[in-house]
């Protein structure tokens, strides 16, 4: 980092290579290799006995919820084990027996630690005591909990405006912690509550709210089992949500069809070998995808328009393709949409999509006579400038087919982190919800602010410009998760104080404000005991069900605290002169928190009494076909323009992706088994014909450049790997390529970063 930075820390660690090995991509997911990988990782980090004890309780009705993705648990979880390879890795990662404390940080400075890769930082182990990095120091040192709270309070008191403080939330936090955290921010006087959903599914929330009246999906898990057609668009469930493969398998067993739409043909959607069945372990597994449409990056809109246009032609000829009764009663904008479709040339739409016309015809054939249709998607749709419009184009398809508000049909945005949806439900939001504010004033006794706060993009800019001075993170790895890594680093270093409530070390602990705190907290799998009584938390899964989660492992240290405890004690210290909320009592008794949630948060009801077994669903208007909150009281069809990237001849469109050995910014290992890449992350997936045109060979080293607003950003030293990806398109892992994403270029309406469609140029690296 240059001389303008406060401490000389590295943003990326070394950019050297680690002896790459390439094989052909896998042609199936899970199976025996998946079991071996899961058990190997768990046994190495936790030991055999501890691993088997914990895994047998994960995602069970009286156990704890997986700390990884938000895929829902079935009503009757499998007794063999209700977890996947990535869930086992996530558990092992937080429940590792490796620990780091004062001696570790006395030995290593933040500058030295920053020379490690993200993979190496994560491997050091669990944080076990509160630590402070004082202004002018290069080493963290121990601090008492009370002194840490006093330090936070002192810095908050110094601020000239509450809006100089920023409260960030990761999707790992419980409903109880997120509720307390959001109320503390409001009681302090700000709505500056950016959260990780700003960077992933904010586009989904905006798109669905505008068209269907709720920013969540409408399906339940059982709907996938009985669907006639499931469309999986912009998503790689085999790596990111492996337990989803079991639901897709049940769909196929029940006669359903699956269409995958993605620039990459991912192994998990080719074939699934279910490790809990003889067919999966000993046989050929289940071929999942009936039709793969290899769309070009961010060309879903012309693809879906071409499908709808062809369906409309069939509808004109026989009148049985669209559900006109449903449209007449529940949908607004049909005539406008049909008229808008007329201005698009079908041949041009097909050409833009990059998908062969014959394969589009196959999709039309599968969809024409079916109405039990589910559309699933993830960040492959959300992280584009037109992410909101792209999702709304898929919603158009569902509305025309009447595939909403009935069994086996609807929307299914698949959330990433385990409680990112719950965080938003219980009040983590930067915008003002007047109804919520009224209920806060009535039941909590204070007047919340009515000025909109900052989201992630706004937080980055505020800190960068010196307007955000205290930055508190409830979990997460903000520096590596956010776009524009160098800009974000400078923003963090402008702060007077940065606070991380964390389980493990990450790069945001090293690129800090003038003073920094690490406050270590429990993992999801650990027992949370207070005054001799074990406590439980709740989370909301990807389909809107609230469930109980109770850990069973001994905590990593006696000196760590739960997230609700930390937040409550922090608030109690700040409001030393009194406040209507009894923060200390709330930190000790989570039932008190849940009672307040029931009163303040719309949809939550008798949470304490409804948590038996598999929990309860929050209200969902789409399931009831209630669109009364929308214009004309109807669901909205939308007119969505085609994307236009205006690429020059020497430019490519790059999408950031995960490897199979990571979850979000947490790197478990250096292998991407399904794509055939081992022992390396600095790779660039490229079409062989594009390589030929550039005159490049396999494993040539290139630098990747993006140019936005006359600012060039560079990701150095990537190995070119030939891969089955559309011409003109590239793929590379994040967070290594987040440096290329400009902070001020984002999705219209949602401000989600354009991480899946970055315009780049390539140049051969000097290291060749």
């Amino acid at each position: 980092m240059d001389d303008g930075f406060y401490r000389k820390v590295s943003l990326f660690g070394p950019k050297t290579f680690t002896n790459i090995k390439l094989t052909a991509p896998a042609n199936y997911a899970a199976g025996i290799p998946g079991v071996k990988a899961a058990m190997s990782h768990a046994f190495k980090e936790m030991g055999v006995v501890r691993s088997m004890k914990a895994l047998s309780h994960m995602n069970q009705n009286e156990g704890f919820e997986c700390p990884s993705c938000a895929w829902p648990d079935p009503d009757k979880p499998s007794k063999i084990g209700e977890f996947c390879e990535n869930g086992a890795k996530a558990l092992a990662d937080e429940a590792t027996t490796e620990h780091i404390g004062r001696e570790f940080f006395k030995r290593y400075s933040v500058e030295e630690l920053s020379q490690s890769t993200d993979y190496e930082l994560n491997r050091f182990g669990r944080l076990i005591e509160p630590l402070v990095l004082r202004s002018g120091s290069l080493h963290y040192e121990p601090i008492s909990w009370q002194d840490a709270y006093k330090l936070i309070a002192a810095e908050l008191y110094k601020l000239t405006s509450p809006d100089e403080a920023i409260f960030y939330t990761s999707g790992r936090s419980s409903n109880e912690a997120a509720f307390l955290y959001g109320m503390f921010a409001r009681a302090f006087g700000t709505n500056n509550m950016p959260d990780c959903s700003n960077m992933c599914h904010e586009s989904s929330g905006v798109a669905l709210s505008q068209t269907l009246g709720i920013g969540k999906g409408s399906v339940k898990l059982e709907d996938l089992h009985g669907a006639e057609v499931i469309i999986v668009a912009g998503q790689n469930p085999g790596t990111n949500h492996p337990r989803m493969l079991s639901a897709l398998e049940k769909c196929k067993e029940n006669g359903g069809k699956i269409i995958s739409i993605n620039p990459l043909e991912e192994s998990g959607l080719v074939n699934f070998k279910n490790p809990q069945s003889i067919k999966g372990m000993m046989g050929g597994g289940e071929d999942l995808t009936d039709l793969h449409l290899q769309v070009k990056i961010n060309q879903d809109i012309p693809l879906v328009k071409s499908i709808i246009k062809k369906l409309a032609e069939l509808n004109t000829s026989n009148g049985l393709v669209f559900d006109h009764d449903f449209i007449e009663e529940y949908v607004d904008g049909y005539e406008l949409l049909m008229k808008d479709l007329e201005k698009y040339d079908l041949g041009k739409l097909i050409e833009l999509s990059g998908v062969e016309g014959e394969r589009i015809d196959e999709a039309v054939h599968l969809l024409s006579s079916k109405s039990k249709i589910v559309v699933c998607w993830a960040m492959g749709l959300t992280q584009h400038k037109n992410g909101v419009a792209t999702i709304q184009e898929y919603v158009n398809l569902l509305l025309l087919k009447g595939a909403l508000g009935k069994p086996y049909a609807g929307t299914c945005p698949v959330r990433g982190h385990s409680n990112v949806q719950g965080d938003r439900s219980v009040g983590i939001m930067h915008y003002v919800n007047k109804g919520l504010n009224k209920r806060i004033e009535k039941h909590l006794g204070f007047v919340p602010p009515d000025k909109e706060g900052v989201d992630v993009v706004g937080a980055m800019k505020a800190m960068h410009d010196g307007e955000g001075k205290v930055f508190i993170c409830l979990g997460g790895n903000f520096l590596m998760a956010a776009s524009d890594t160098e800009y974000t680093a400078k923003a963090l270093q402008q702060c007077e104080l940065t606070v991380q409530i964390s389980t493990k070390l990450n790069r945001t602990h090293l690129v800090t404000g003038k003073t920094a705190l690490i406050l270590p907290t429990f993992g999801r799998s650990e027992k949370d005991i207070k005054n001799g009584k074990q406590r439980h938390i709740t989370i909301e899964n990807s389909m809107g069900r609230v469930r109980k989660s109770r850990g069973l492992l001994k905590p990593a240290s006696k000196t760590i605290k739960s997230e609700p405890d930390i937040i409550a004690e922090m608030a109690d210290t700040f409001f030393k002169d009194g406040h209507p909320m009894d923060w200390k009592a709330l930190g000790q008794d989570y039932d008190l928190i849940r009672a307040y949630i029931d009163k303040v948060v719309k949809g939550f009801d008798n949470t304490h009494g409804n948590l038996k077994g598999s929990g309860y669903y929050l209200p969902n208007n789409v399931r009831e076909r209630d669109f009364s909150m929308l214009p004309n009281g109807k669901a909205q069809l939308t007119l969505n323009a085609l994307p236009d990237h205006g690429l020059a001849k020497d430019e490519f469109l790059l999408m950031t992706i995960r490897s199979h050995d990571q979850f979000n910014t947490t790197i478990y290992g250096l292998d991407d088994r399904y794509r055939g890449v081992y022992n390396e992350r600095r790779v660039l997936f490229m079409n062989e014909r594009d390589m030929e045109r550039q005159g490049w060979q396999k494993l040539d080293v290139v630098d990747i450049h993006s140019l936005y607003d006359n600012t060039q950003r560079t990701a150095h030293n990537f190995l070119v790997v030939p891969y089955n990806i559309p011409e003109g398109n590239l793929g590379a892992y994040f967070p290594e390529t987040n440096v290329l994403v400009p902070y001020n270029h984002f999705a219209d309406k949602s401000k989600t970063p354009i991480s899946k469609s970055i315009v780049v140029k390539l140049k051969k690296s000097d290291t060749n």
Side-chain angles (χ1 to χ4, degrees), residues 491-558:
L492 288 167
Q493 292 188 319
Q494 295 294 322
C495 293
E496 294 298 319
L497 173 68
T498 51
V499 182
Q500 310 292 324
I501 302 172
S502 308
T503 56
K504 300 190 76 178
L505 186 65
N506 63 54
R507 201 164 298 276
T508 312
H509 298 107
L510 310 177
V511 181
T512 70
K514 294 174 185 177
T515 302
L517 284 168
I518 296 175
L519 305 181
T521 190
F522 290 147
R524 188 74 60 80
S525 58
E526 291 172 318
K527 283 184 179 179
D528 181 354
I529 297 177
K530 193 79 168 185
N531 299 324
K533 179 182 177 182
Q534 183 169 358
R535 303 180 292 186
H536 66 267
I537 58 172
T538 60
I539 64 99
E540 179 190 345
N541 66 33
S542 197
M543 294 177 181
R545 176 179 264 173
V546 179
R547 285 177 59 99
K548 178 169 65 176
S549 178
R550 181 165 53 191
L552 81 157
L553 299 178
K554 182 180 178 181
S557 166
K558 292 181 179 179

Side-chain angles (χ1 to χ4, degrees), residues 417-651:
H417 223 152
S418 57
N419 197 40
V420 62
Q421 188 159 295
D423 288 351
R424 177 60 58 83
S425 292
V426 299
I428 297 296
M429 61 188 76
H430 63 278
Y431 51 85
V432 177
N433 182 316
K434 292 183 179 180
L436 177 64
N437 276 10
K438 288 180 180 179
R439 293 188 294 275
I440 290 172
E441 186 173 354
K442 177 180 178 180
H443 297 290
L444 302 185
F446 70 91
V447 180
D450 58 4
K451 175 187 173 185
E452 184 170 308
V454 296
D455 58 6
V456 166
V457 171
M460 292 160 63
K461 188 175 189 305
M463 291 187 289
H464 191 275
D465 295 347
E467 296 171 2
K469 296 178 181 178
V470 174
F471 185 67
I472 304 177
C473 281
L474 183 60
N477 182 3
F478 186 82
L479 175 62
M480 292 290 98
S483 59
D484 216 337
T485 312
E486 292 187 8
Y487 182 93
T488 304
K490 291 179 181 178
L492 288 167
Q493 292 188 319
Q494 295 294 322
C495 293
E496 294 298 319
L497 173 68
T498 51
V499 182
Q500 310 292 324
I501 302 172
S502 308
T503 56
K504 300 190 76 178
L505 186 65
N506 63 54
R507 201 164 298 276
T508 312
H509 298 107
L510 310 177
V511 181
T512 70
K514 294 174 185 177
T515 302
L517 284 168
I518 296 175
L519 305 181
T521 190
F522 290 147
R524 188 74 60 80
S525 58
E526 291 172 318
K527 283 184 179 179
D528 181 354
I529 297 177
K530 193 79 168 185
N531 299 324
K533 179 182 177 182
Q534 183 169 358
R535 303 180 292 186
H536 66 267
I537 58 172
T538 60
I539 64 99
E540 179 190 345
N541 66 33
S542 197
M543 294 177 181
R545 176 179 264 173
V546 179
R547 285 177 59 99
K548 178 169 65 176
S549 178
R550 181 165 53 191
L552 81 157
L553 299 178
K554 182 180 178 181
S557 166
K558 292 181 179 179
T559 52
I560 65 176
K561 293 177 178 283
S562 74
E563 288 181 335
D565 268 330
I566 294 170
I567 297 161
E569 290 169 6
M570 186 165 52
D572 184 68
T573 302
F574 179 80
F575 292 111
K576 62 181 184 297
D577 296 328
H579 187 267
M581 292 182 67
D582 188 344
W583 298 99
K584 186 168 287 188
L586 290 167
Q588 294 182 354
D589 187 348
Y590 298 170
D591 282 338
L592 292 178
I593 303 176
R594 287 186 279 271
Y596 274 133
I597 291 175
D598 287 345
K599 292 177 180 179
V600 172
V601 180
K602 193 174 180 180
F604 284 77
D605 181 47
N606 189 25
T607 298
H608 178 72
N610 284 330
L611 287 178
K612 295 178 181 178
S614 55
Y616 73 100
Y617 281 104
L618 295 176
N620 189 299
N621 63 282
V622 179
R623 291 174 188 156
E624 306 301 322
R625 291 189 170 180
D626 174 15
F627 305 110
S628 57
M629 68 293 298
L630 292 163
N632 299 323
K634 293 187 175 184
Q636 303 292 301
L637 290 165
T638 51
L639 310 183
N640 304 302
L642 299 178
D644 181 14
H645 296 283
L647 296 178
K649 288 185 178 180
D650 61 343
E651 290 179 330

Side-chain angles (χ1 to χ4, degrees), residues 184-236:
F184 176 42
R186 290 179 175 89
F188 176 67
T190 186
N191 282 312
N192 285 349
M193 287 177 278
D195 74 307
C196 60
S197 66
N198 297 151
M199 296 182 276
C200 53
H201 269 288
E202 195 72 39
S203 294
S204 299
V206 173
L208 295 173
S209 295
Q210 291 181 347
T211 55
L212 302 178
I214 186 172
K216 304 178 182 182
S218 65
V219 300
K220 298 180 180 180
L221 181 59
E222 298 76 22
D223 291 324
L224 275 74
H225 301 165
E228 295 173 316
V229 179
I230 297 177
I231 297 174
V232 182
Q235 186 195 359
N236 176 16

Side-chain angles (χ1 to χ4, degrees), residues 262-264 266 297 652-659 672 675 677 681-687 690 702 704 718-734 736-737 740 755-758 760 762:
N262 203 47
L264 300 177
E266 302 289 9
I297 289 176
F652 296 85
L653 213 54
L654 169 73
M655 62 177 179
T656 66
I657 56 178
R658 291 183 192 170
S659 81
D672 193 349
R675 297 190 182 105
V677 178
R681 289 185 54 81
R682 303 191 72 84
V683 299
L684 181 69
F685 296 105
M686 191 172 189
N687 186 287
D690 286 332
V702 300
I704 312 171
F718 283 75
L719 295 164
V720 176
V721 172
Y723 207 79
N724 180 15
I725 187 171
E727 291 182 63
N729 291 175
L730 305 168
Y733 303 131
F734 74 84
E736 290 85 349
T737 47
L740 299 167
S755 302
K756 294 293 184 286
S757 52
I758 315 160
V760 300
L762 306 177

